[in-house]
């Protein structure tokens, strides 16, 4: 490849991304605000997955794309093509250092019915990526869906999650359930359930349910050894909510329970109350990557 174009040398030097489906946006005619339907919220978990995985996040506009020949991308599926893309950087949303005004990366895309790849030129995108060693002008997408069309809502959500991830008190990654037990109170119907979670960096996190006779159970989350029973449950679409709603198992493992049959039944009931309060994880993308 001594006489190969510069873009081809850069493209073949990268580890490429898996298949990425193109997202098409159809312009809408203006509607009266009174009848305009409210747009559904962007799935928080989809963007949280990407932000957590991506040390480099860029707002950019695609300048050009070049389809690589099959010989230059032999591992691409038959119904797909690999593109080498160059994009002009609008803003660096996350990263430890500067990025050049123009970056390049490769991406695998599906072919249409006529065997043609989608066209991205002039499309504004959010890129969730990592850097390429010894090549500041190149990035590598972290997952197959790590190129997202830019929208004001997507940009705002991405920046919100980046702030949460980089905050000094960012909640830890939950890896499982440790121990769970119920302690009865002094009065009939009173008591407290504590569920201790395992985390990737061994920081403490516990779920606590307070029971008072004649009142609905009240639950809270503690990120330190001190439990504040008056603390409200985590708000939806926050990083703490995501860590819990998208990581906790549907049922408590038997290995976490060490009490009597009656106490364990209360713990399971309180755990179900917590899951109900959290609501379902709103992840829609298929988890994957390289």
């Amino acid at each position: 490849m001594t006489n190969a174009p510069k873009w081809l040398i850069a493209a073949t030097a990268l580890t490429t991304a898996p298949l990425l489906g193109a997202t098409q946006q159809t312009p809408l005619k203006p509607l009266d605000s009174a009848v305009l339907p409210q747009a559904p919220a962007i799935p928080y978990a989809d963007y949280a997955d990407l932000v957590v995985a991506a040390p480099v996040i860029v707002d950019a506009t695609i300048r050009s794309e070049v389809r690589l020949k099959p010989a230059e991308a032999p591992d691409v599926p038959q119904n797909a093509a690999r593109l080498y893309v160059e994009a002009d950087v609008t803003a660096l949303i996350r990263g430890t250092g500067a990025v050049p005004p123009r970056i390049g990366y490769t991406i695998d895309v599906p072919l249409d019915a006529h065997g043609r790849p989608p066209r991205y030129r002039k499309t504004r995108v959010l890129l969730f990526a990592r850097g390429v060693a010894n090549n500041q002008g190149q990035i590598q997408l972290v997952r197959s869906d790590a190129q997202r069309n830019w929208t004001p809502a997507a940009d705002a959500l991405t920046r919100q999650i980046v702030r949460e991830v980089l905050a000094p008190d960012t909640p830890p990654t939950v890896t499982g359930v440790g121990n769970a037990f119920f302690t009865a109170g002094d009065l009939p119907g009173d008591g407290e359930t504590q569920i201790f979670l395992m985390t990737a960096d061994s920081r403490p996190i516990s779920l606590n349910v307070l029971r008072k006779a004649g009142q609905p159970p009240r639950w809270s989350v503690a990120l330190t050894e001190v439990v504040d029973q008056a603390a409200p449950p985590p708000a939806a679409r926050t990083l703490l909510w995501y860590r819990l709603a998208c990581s906790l198992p549907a049922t408590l493992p038997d290995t976490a329970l060490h009490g009597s049959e009656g106490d364990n039944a209360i713990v399971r009931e309180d755990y179900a109350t917590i899951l109900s309060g959290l609501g379902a994880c709103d992840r829609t993308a298929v988890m994957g990557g390289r």
Side-chain angles (χ1 to χ4, degrees), residues 43-58:
Y44 182 98
D46 288 356
Y47 279 78
D49 290 341
L50 291 169
V51 170
V52 168
V56 177
I57 303 175
V58 175

Side-chain angles (χ1 to χ4, degrees), residues 191-214:
E192 181 182 3
T193 291
Q194 289 187 288
I195 302 171
F196 296 93
L197 305 180
M198 296 182 290
T199 61
D201 57 3
S202 299
R203 281 189 287 159
I205 180 171
S206 64
L207 308 175
N208 308 281
V209 182
L210 186 64
R211 286 173 169 256
K212 291 287 186 181

Side-chain angles (χ1 to χ4, degrees), residues 83-116:
L83 305 180
Y84 176 71
V85 179
E86 286 194 338
D88 293 327
V89 176
T90 301
L92 176 63
I93 297 175
R94 182 183 186 185
T96 56
V99 295
R102 185 170 300 162
I103 54 176
Y105 58 96
T106 56
I107 186 171
D108 289 2
V109 297
L111 301 175
D112 65 16
H114 303 285
R116 294 189 293 259

Side-chain angles (χ1 to χ4, degrees), residues 2-287:
T2 305
N3 299 320
K6 182 180 179 181
W7 61 262
L8 180 55
I9 296 175
T12 54
L14 294 176
T15 302
T16 58
L19 184 65
L20 172 69
T23 301
Q24 301 295 332
Q25 293 186 339
T26 303
L28 298 176
K29 295 181 180 180
L31 295 176
D32 186 282
S33 59
V35 298
L36 185 64
Q38 185 177 1
I42 298 173
Y44 182 98
D46 288 356
Y47 279 78
D49 290 341
L50 291 169
V51 170
V52 168
V56 177
I57 303 175
V58 175
D59 171 0
T61 299
I62 294 176
R63 182 182 182 88
S64 64
E65 70 262 354
V66 178
R67 181 176 179 177
L68 303 185
K69 297 178 181 179
E72 298 158 354
D75 56 333
V76 178
Q78 186 175 3
N79 63 339
R82 181 164 298 158
L83 305 180
Y84 176 71
V85 179
E86 286 194 338
D88 293 327
V89 176
T90 301
L92 176 63
I93 297 175
R94 182 183 186 185
T96 56
V99 295
R102 185 170 300 162
I103 54 176
Y105 58 96
T106 56
I107 186 171
D108 289 2
V109 297
L111 301 175
D112 65 16
H114 303 285
R116 294 189 293 259
R119 300 296 300 272
Y120 294 117
R121 186 172 177 269
K122 296 185 179 181
T123 301
R124 188 174 177 181
V125 293
L126 292 169
L127 303 172
F128 300 83
R130 60 178 69 91
V132 176
N134 303 318
N135 198 333
Q136 190 180 29
Q138 303 296 316
I139 62 171
Q140 180 188 53
L141 301 181
V142 295
R143 275 184 16 192
S144 59
D145 59 350
Q147 174 182 291
R148 295 291 183 105
N149 279 11
W150 185 96
T151 66
D155 183 90
L157 181 59
T158 297
R159 291 174 185 271
Q160 172 196 330
I161 298 171
V162 168
R163 288 192 297 270
E164 292 178 289
V165 168
L166 299 181
D169 58 349
T170 185
T173 299
V174 174
T175 58
V177 178
N179 296 313
F181 58 90
F182 173 74
T183 302
D186 295 332
L187 299 176
D190 289 4
E192 181 182 3
T193 291
Q194 289 187 288
I195 302 171
F196 296 93
L197 305 180
M198 296 182 290
T199 61
D201 57 3
S202 299
R203 281 189 287 159
I205 180 171
S206 64
L207 308 175
N208 308 281
V209 182
L210 186 64
R211 286 173 169 256
K212 291 287 186 181
Q215 300 178 16
R218 186 173 72 248
W219 69 278
S220 61
V221 182
L223 298 178
T224 65
E225 301 293 346
V226 179
V227 176
D228 180 6
Q229 292 287 4
R237 296 175 64 81
T238 61
L239 194 63
L240 178 55
W241 170 85
Y242 159 80
R243 296 293 197 200
L244 298 172
C246 299
S247 301
L248 292 176
T251 58
L252 280 176
D254 292 336
T255 53
L257 298 169
H258 307 286
S260 66
E261 182 176 346
D263 287 352
N264 289 346
I266 294 175
V267 173
R268 291 186 186 279
E269 182 180 333
D270 287 344
Y271 184 73
T273 296
I274 292 171
L275 294 186
S276 176
L278 287 169
C281 173
D282 64 350
R283 180 181 289 127
T284 62
V286 177
M287 294 288 285

